[in-house]
Amino acid sequence: MAYSEAQVIAGGLIHIPIVIGLFRHIESQIGRKSIAKPAKTPPSTKATTASAPASSKAAPSKKVHADVPVNTYRPKTPFEGKVLENYSLLKDGAIGRVNHITFSLSGGNPQLRYVEGQSIGIIPAGEDSKGKPHKLRLYSIASTRHGDNFSGDTVSLCVRQLQYEKDGQTIDGVCSTYLCNIKPGEKVKITGPVGKEMLLPEDEDANIIMLATGTGIAPMRAYLRRMFEPTERKKNNWNFKGKAWLFMGAPKTANLLYDADFEYYKKQFPDNLRYTKAISREQKNAKGGRMYIQDKVLEHADEIFSLIEDPKTHIYLCGLKGMEPGIDEAMTKAAASKGINWAELRPKLKKQDRWHVETY
Ligand code: FAD
Ligand code: A2P
């Protein structure tokens, strides 16, 4: 190639980025409106029904839940909610400490609203070992959007105090201890709400299978109140007609959370609610070991999989992270006994927004 020719080509090449840049600039000016990214929606504060597909066959996308409020309050500007009540959920002889704590959300501008299945963040008072403000911890909301007193401006949590032994010392979890000790009248920094994983479908005739261990009962308590609490039903314009089945795992009978409420709902709605308890340190599984909810899942494999065949059935799993492999193993065995491959079915259920997991 002649020198002059090469120069011309090189010169041309040098101009390519300039031409591309110019083209992009023109495109961005002319086409801004038509190709602009969708504007960021400001955090909605309107709590509406967590929607599900009109047809149970259609997989509801995240868009379906677009009107569910998120991040109304962020860590830099949290809402300060007053503690209304804080009481133990445990009976004599129970292990550990688990409290039900309610905060007032009144006076918020904007008002913090949420729907069943979401979580809020709590920023404990004080500083960490480096002298920095504590980071927030998430807690599943245990109340319905109407709150325990149905006024629509409270939120409740179900908190287990974290305690463990290290080098011969008992270590108390920072935020869970702060919450379990907090007194009515004190103010707490609250963020959120967050989370769209655990929302209920809108269908009144959906079937809801709930697998909870310990404080994993929090979102389930909100669902069950929404479904069966008389005043809540009057308020929410949502008359649950499907089948709800709660599997609850607790170490002792005295550790069962909200048990009397669930028993009452079961009595009132015997055709709509089943309640199966796995009391790990009082009952034995088929192998003689501790009874976990996955053992109960196996016991009821046939009925569970008959329900799953119905496209209106949703499964919610909440609580200890450690239960996930056990549940997976039980579902694999249970599915196999019906000639179903769980490893193939689970992602399908997930895609259809019918398999919901929140473990920690
Ligand atoms: P921290 O002071 O933060 O201590 C926790 C740390 O201690 C761990 O990170 C680990 O490093 C260490 N640690 C813990 N156990 C041991 C051990 N056995 N040995 C050695 N080290 C250990 N909790 C509830 O009680 N109720 C709820 O409804 C709830 N919902 C949640 C929802 C979501 C989405 C998530 C993510 C978490 C939820 N949690 C819930 C857990 C909660 O967020 C906190 O993690 C929990 O309360 C502990 O926080 P803490 O500040 O008390 O403990
Ligand atoms: P256990 O502690 O007897 O082993 P809590 O949060 O109140 O302690 O309740 C958690 C419940 O979940 C307990 O009954 C606990 O049993 C049980 N559990 C512990 N590990 C698992 C696991 N891997 N799978 C299912 N359940 C579990």
Side-chain angles (χ1 to χ4, degrees), residues 137-140 158-160 162 164 173-176 215 360:
R137 269 74 163 173
L138 289 176
Y139 293 90
S140 307
C158 167
V159 179
R160 163 175 276 289
L162 172 68
Y164 59 93
V174 172
C175 192
S176 57
T215 54
Y360 42 86

Side-chain angles (χ1 to χ4, degrees), residues 90 95 98 160 212-216 248-252 255 257 278-281 290-294 320-327:
L90 305 182
I95 299 166
V98 184
R160 163 175 276 289
T213 51
T215 54
M248 171 62 183
K252 297 172 92 179
N255 279 85
L257 307 171
I279 319 285
S280 58
R281 306 201 191 176
R290 284 182 180 179
M291 178 67 87
Y292 285 162
I293 50 171
Q294 48 268 39
L320 294 177
K321 200 161 208 57
M323 76 172 163
E324 276 189 64
I327 294 288

Side-chain angles (χ1 to χ4, degrees), residues 183-252:
K183 302 271 178 298
E186 288 184 48
K187 288 209 163 172
V188 172
K189 290 183 175 143
I190 301 174
T191 66
V194 295
K196 294 190 178 184
E197 172 65 24
M198 298 289 284
L199 305 180
L200 280 178
E202 198 175 70
D203 314 19
E204 291 180 340
D205 54 356
N207 304 308
I208 309 293
I209 299 175
M210 293 157 274
L211 309 173
T213 51
T215 54
I217 197 67
M220 289 32 169
R221 185 220 183 219
Y223 306 157
L224 292 167
R225 279 178 74 85
R226 181 161 169 78
M227 291 168 184
F228 303 120
E229 184 66 35
T231 315
E232 181 65 37
R233 277 169 74 89
K234 273 187 209 137
K235 274 211 121 166
N236 64 22
N237 270 330
W238 187 74
N239 277 311
F240 181 72
K241 298 182 193 79
K243 303 230 177 288
W245 193 350
L246 171 64
F247 290 82
M248 171 62 183
K252 297 172 92 179

Side-chain angles (χ1 to χ4, degrees), residues 98 119-120 124 135-142 157-166 171-179 194 215-219 318 358-360:
V98 184
S119 298
I120 53 168
K135 295 212 161 61
L136 72 83
R137 269 74 163 173
L138 289 176
Y139 293 90
S140 307
I141 295 173
L157 303 179
C158 167
V159 179
R160 163 175 276 289
Q161 183 188 22
L162 172 68
Q163 274 197 322
Y164 59 93
E165 300 295 319
K166 197 177 170 191
I171 311 283
D172 292 337
V174 172
C175 192
S176 57
T177 303
Y178 163 73
L179 286 172
V194 295
T215 54
I217 197 67
C318 190
E358 196 153 89
T359 54
Y360 42 86

